[in-house]
Amino acid sequence: MNNPSSASRPVRMVIFGRQGAGKGTQCVRLVEHFGVVHISTGDMLRGAVAAGTEMGKAAKAVMDVGDLVSDEIILGIVRERLAEGDCRTRGFVLDGFPRTIAQAEGLVMILGEDELHAVVDLDVPLDEVTARMKARGRDDDTDEGIARRLELYEKETRPVLDWFADRDLLVTVDGLGSETDITDRLLSAIATAVAR
Ligand code: AMP
């Protein structure tokens, strides 16, 4: 019973949260529990940068200053990834996408009749995520980069949360506490959403 989705249907979900909210850690646990594919647009872009592809070169400059890569590029890579067989059979958790209303609308188009089962906001306060990002020291975690990304999250991504809330899909989960407590909260919120 470790993987309820294999016994029933593939689960399709989105996890939101400010950078530094612990989405990456929790996604590992969601993958273990639901057997879904973890799709992080940030990881895919960093992979393209490391591989030195044309897209990676274009994305790097944008990522370095904490801006958003164009909707067109992002929707292209997500569309390709979601069309792969593992996403269709195992379901997925989208992490770091959609970040704009245009991306949310694009996602709905890509999914067609395959509806999302759960959209979760892993909620961690601004001062806490700022402190965590300063401590982790990733390449793009300069003070300006952190401030810019958090500002963009409020400006561009908050409306996306409202967009999902208007469609009755959004569940907010308290992202403070121990990793296991947060996982338990997430699993119960998602189980409720999937059962609807
Ligand atoms: P993340 O690992 O999700 O914080 O993403 C790192 C960086 O990749 C972001 O600061 C953006 O520059 C870029 N990025 C990742 N996902 C997206 C997206 N859905 N839309 C636009 N830019 C993105």
Side-chain angles (χ1 to χ4, degrees), residues 87-120:
C87 291
R88 306 214 62 84
T89 54
R90 291 165 51 196
F92 53 79
V93 54
L94 288 166
D95 164 9
F97 171 92
R99 263 183 164 83
T100 64
I101 296 280
Q103 291 179 16
E105 288 171 348
L107 174 62
V108 169
M109 298 279 287
I110 291 168
L111 290 177
E113 290 181 0
D114 293 342
E115 285 178 16
L116 290 169
H117 299 110
V119 179
V120 185

Side-chain angles (χ1 to χ4, degrees), residues 36-51:
V36 291
V37 180
H38 178 209
I39 301 180
S40 155
T41 44
D43 284 351
M44 290 165 86
L45 291 168
R46 281 183 288 276
V49 171

